[in-house]
Amino acid sequence: MADKRDYYEVLGVDKNADDNAIKKGYRQMAKKYHPDMNPGDKDAEAKFKEVNEAYAVLSDPEKKQIYDQYGHDGLDPTSGAGQGFGGFGGFGGVDLGDIFGSFFGGGSSSERRNAPRRGDDITYRMTITFEEAAFGCTKELKYNRIEACKECNGTGADKGSGIETCSRCKGTGTVTVTQRTMFGMMQSQKTCDSCRGRGKIIKNPCQNCRGSGNVKLTKKLDVSIPAGVDDGGRICLRGQGNAGVNGGSYGDLYIIVSLRPHEIFERSGNDIYCEVPVSYSELVLGGEIEVPTLEGTVKYNIPEGTQTGTRFCIKNKGIVYYNTKNHGDLYFTVVMETPKNLSSEAKDALRKFAELCENSSYVKKQKFYEKISKIFKKK
C-alpha cells in the first residue's frame, strides 16, 4: 500500500474537507483526467482510475473512517480501495452518470429517462392555387399523429387498475450489477428488465393503447392560410404535433406551402409579372389596351411608338405583404404578335404603308446598317 498516493491529495482537497468539498474535488479531477478529454493518454487513464478509487473510499462514511484512522493498510483490497475503475455505470455504489451529468449536461440516466419529453413535430406539405396564396383561404387537412390515449388518460393502465413502483429497481429504472474483475469488484448500472427503464409496473395494460399510453389517430383541421404566403412558406400550428412522453407537451405541426403555376402570372417576392400580346398598329399608334390583374382587367394607355418587349408597371397590383395592407406591383411586358393569314387587301395595304414610311422612322434599323457599312468599308 506504500506506493499509493494519499486519497485527499488525489482529489486535491484538505483532510478536513466535508462531503460537498470531496464531491467537488472529485468532479474537477474526474473531468480533468477523463478518457474522453484525454484520448489515448495512458497516464491520464491511470490517474482517472486513481481519482475514482479515492472518491469511492472518501464518499463512503465507513470506509472514510477506516482510511482516516489506519490509512491504506486499513482497507481490504477486495471490498474497498481495490475496487478500481468502474466506468460510467457505477463505482463503489456511486452512480457516475449522476456525477458526469452535472458537467456534461443533464441529470442522472434514470432522471433523464423518466423526465417529461416534448412530442415530435410533424411536417405536412400542402399545395394551393396562385390566387389562394394571394388572397388567403381556409383549407381542411387530414394527417396522422400520436395522441394521448383517452381511455386511460395517457397512463397506459386499464380503468380501475393502478400503476405500481417497480419493486426491483425501486422506481429508478436502473439496477446495479456487481462483477468481479481484474481490478476487483466492479459495479455497473443497466436498464431494469422488469419495467424496461420506466420505473413503474402496469399490471393491467389499457386495451386501447396496449399499455403505451399513446395511440395513432387521423386528425382533421381547418387551417387558415394567410394572404401573401409564398411558395415554400411555413405555417406553424403550436401543439398540433405528436404527443409527448411522460406527460411532456405536444409537438408542433408545420405546414409547407407549394403553389400551383398560374396560366398568366409569375411571381417574384410580392411582385407579379406577365406578358400582354399586342398588335403592330397598337405599338405604332399607341392607345388603350387591357391588362390582366389578380382582380380582373384594367385599362392602360401605352405611348405611340412603343417597342415590343417594353415593360410597364402598375403600382399596388401585386401580392399583399404578410400581415400588412401594402401590396407589391404588377409588371407587364408588351409583345407584338405578327399577323398571319392576311387577305390580299391587307397585304396591299401593308406594302403601301411600307412605301410611305421613310428610313428615319426606323431608327434602330438605320443605325444597324450604318454599323455594317462602316465595318465593310474598313476592310
Side-chain angles (χ1 to χ4, degrees):
M1 296 285 183
D3 58 338
K4 286 184 176 290
R5 284 203 300 156
D6 181 80
Y7 285 151
Y8 291 98
E9 179 185 342
V10 171
L11 298 184
V13 297
D14 185 81
K15 290 186 180 293
N16 297 320
D18 58 15
D19 292 342
N20 289 332
I22 290 173
K23 191 171 185 178
K24 183 178 179 181
Y26 168 70
R27 288 176 174 173
Q28 293 175 345
M29 292 301 175
K31 185 176 182 180
K32 179 179 180 180
Y33 295 116
H34 193 276
D36 289 347
M37 302 291 186
N38 305 275
D41 189 335
K42 296 296 183 182
D43 183 57
E45 182 179 345
K47 289 183 178 179
F48 183 67
K49 293 177 182 179
E50 186 181 40
V51 168
N52 279 301
E53 180 180 310
Y55 184 66
V57 172
L58 298 183
S59 63
D60 186 313
E62 293 183 5
K63 294 176 184 177
K64 181 176 182 297
Q65 183 179 359
I66 295 173
Y67 179 74
D68 288 342
Q69 187 172 358
Y70 301 105
H72 292 293
D73 292 335
L75 298 170
D76 184 349
T78 62
S79 61
Q83 284 184 331
F85 172 48
F88 276 99
F91 185 91
V94 179
D95 183 359
L96 298 191
D98 290 343
I99 302 299
F100 293 129
S102 64
F103 52 76
F104 287 129
S108 68
S109 58
S110 60
E111 289 174 344
R112 292 192 299 272
R113 187 183 297 108
N114 295 313
R117 296 197 302 276
R118 180 179 177 275
D120 293 333
D121 295 332
I122 298 175
T123 299
Y124 183 95
R125 297 189 177 276
M126 175 185 291
T127 300
I128 61 176
T129 66
F130 197 93
E131 288 85 357
E132 286 174 332
F135 299 110
C137 62
T138 298
K139 306 288 285 187
E140 181 185 80
L141 62 86
K142 297 179 182 179
Y143 68 103
N144 295 324
R145 77 165 184 168
I146 297 173
E147 297 185 5
C149 177
K150 293 182 180 179
E151 295 294 325
C152 65
N153 294 322
T155 64
D158 201 3
K159 289 183 179 179
S161 174
I163 301 176
E164 299 179 357
T165 300
C166 177
S167 59
R168 185 180 180 193
C169 67
K170 302 297 187 292
T172 64
T174 59
V175 292
T176 302
V177 179
T178 303
Q179 292 178 313
R180 187 180 297 277
T181 70
M182 61 181 295
F183 298 109
M185 300 302 292
M186 181 180 72
Q187 290 184 332
S188 62
Q189 289 192 334
K190 69 172 186 176
T191 301
C192 178
D193 296 330
S194 298
C195 64
R196 297 182 180 179
R198 298 180 65 180
K200 300 176 181 179
I201 298 292
I202 299 175
K203 286 192 172 183
N204 297 313
C206 172
Q207 298 299 311
N208 187 47
C209 65
R210 298 181 180 180
S212 68
N214 295 324
V215 291
K216 191 173 185 180
L217 298 174
T218 299
K219 187 175 180 65
K220 292 183 180 180
L221 278 180
D222 288 330
V223 180
S224 177
I225 306 298
V229 65
D230 203 350
D231 190 62
R234 296 202 318 168
I235 300 171
C236 178
L237 300 181
R238 300 294 183 189
Q240 296 298 332
N242 287 325
V245 179
N246 297 325
S249 61
Y250 276 76
D252 299 329
L253 171 65
Y254 287 92
I255 300 174
I256 310 298
V257 178
S258 297
L259 304 188
R260 292 193 185 98
H262 197 275
E263 294 182 2
I264 297 176
F265 298 108
E266 292 184 357
R267 177 176 176 176
S268 177
N270 290 78
D271 296 329
I272 57 175
Y273 299 80
C274 70
E275 290 185 349
V276 178
V278 292
S279 67
Y280 177 68
S281 59
E282 286 175 320
L283 291 177
V284 174
L285 302 176
E288 189 176 78
I289 64 172
E290 283 194 351
V291 179
T293 73
L294 289 172
E295 299 171 313
T297 59
V298 296
K299 303 293 185 180
Y300 192 91
N301 283 302
I302 60 173
E304 178 181 323
T306 296
Q307 300 297 310
T308 184
T310 301
R311 175 179 288 180
F312 297 93
C313 175
I314 303 179
K315 292 291 186 180
N316 300 317
K317 286 297 183 180
I319 307 292
V320 65
Y321 284 90
Y322 179 68
N323 240 5
T324 73
K325 294 182 179 180
N326 300 322
H327 288 70
D329 300 326
L330 164 64
Y331 293 90
F332 70 92
T333 302
V334 291
V335 180
M336 186 191 73
E337 181 181 6
T338 303
K340 297 181 179 180
N341 303 318
L342 294 176
S343 65
S344 58
E345 290 83 358
K347 290 179 180 178
D348 289 339
L350 278 175
R351 293 187 186 100
K352 184 65 176 176
F353 174 78
E355 291 174 1
L356 294 174
C357 287
E358 299 178 358
N359 286 336
S360 59
S361 299
Y362 299 97
V363 178
K364 288 185 179 180
K365 181 179 179 181
Q366 186 177 2
K367 289 183 178 180
F368 176 75
Y369 282 105
E370 286 177 357
K371 290 178 182 179
I372 291 177
S373 177
K374 290 179 179 179
I375 292 172
F376 283 102
K377 281 183 179 179
K378 289 180 181 179
K379 294 183 177 180

